[in-house]
Amino acid sequence: MQTTRSVNGVRTEILILSYADRVLVLLTQLGKVGCLIQASTPLAIPLPPAPPPPALPPIPPSIALTPLFGQPPSPHLQTLYNLYVSQIASLIWAREGEGGIRRPVVVGVALKLSGASRSDDEEDDLTEDERVLFKEVMEMVTDLIK
């Protein structure tokens, strides 16, 4: 399954491939795989109940993120990539939960750097473009896994 959309004037592509042992999601604005991060959570720990759409499912507190390869270019993007991986995995697990399985989710993230420079005080703040991109990406993933 794949989709492409222009978000903030930037071509944004998502590809989801389902395997027997895990799910691979590629999110790119750069036409490459980017950083690969795996999200997993123990099957024995139940997921928090998902709210009705369009709300996003909560990220389980037991989630474990494992960098597989690649490194985001800044601490801010590291945090942002972890947020993307956690939320995408939560969306997939909420959908898979209907079938009683919960496979690890590997997400490749390659986002275009924001042109705005950041001070130390603003390092954790999201720009409006980052907020719009996050919302659009989650809508794209939701549409793909329906």
Side-chain angles (χ1 to χ4, degrees), residues 12 18 33 60 63 66 72 120 124-125 129 146:
T12 305
S18 185
V33 172
I63 195 166
T66 307
D120 289 341
D124 293 330
D125 295 338
D129 285 349
K146 282 185 180 174

Side-chain angles (χ1 to χ4, degrees), residues 1-92:
M1 302 176 280
Q2 73 181 66
T3 188
T4 302
R5 188 182 293 178
S6 178
V7 182
N8 297 328
V10 179
R11 180 182 168 97
T12 305
E13 301 174 71
I14 298 177
L15 172 69
I16 300 177
L17 300 169
S18 185
Y19 297 93
D21 63 338
R22 64 199 64 211
V23 177
L24 174 66
V25 179
L26 300 178
L27 162 60
T28 185
Q29 292 181 317
L30 304 173
K32 58 184 181 178
V33 172
C35 301
L36 280 180
I37 303 167
Q38 178 173 283
S40 58
T41 187
L43 190 56
I45 298 175
L47 294 174
L56 296 172
I59 296 169
S62 61
I63 195 166
L65 300 179
T66 307
L68 300 177
F69 70 81
Q71 181 69 26
S74 72
H76 173 74
L77 283 181
Q78 176 72 52
T79 302
L80 194 58
Y81 283 17
N82 287 344
L83 176 62
Y84 274 95
V85 172
S86 298
Q87 191 63 67
I88 289 170
S90 296
L91 282 165
I92 290 171

Side-chain angles (χ1 to χ4, degrees), residues 122-139:
E122 299 173 326
E123 189 64 31
D124 293 330
D125 295 338
L126 293 178
T127 66
E128 186 57 33
D129 285 349
E130 288 170 335
R131 290 177 193 278
V132 169
L133 177 60
F134 183 82
K135 180 179 179 284
E136 291 283 333
V137 165
M138 295 312 140
E139 285 177 8

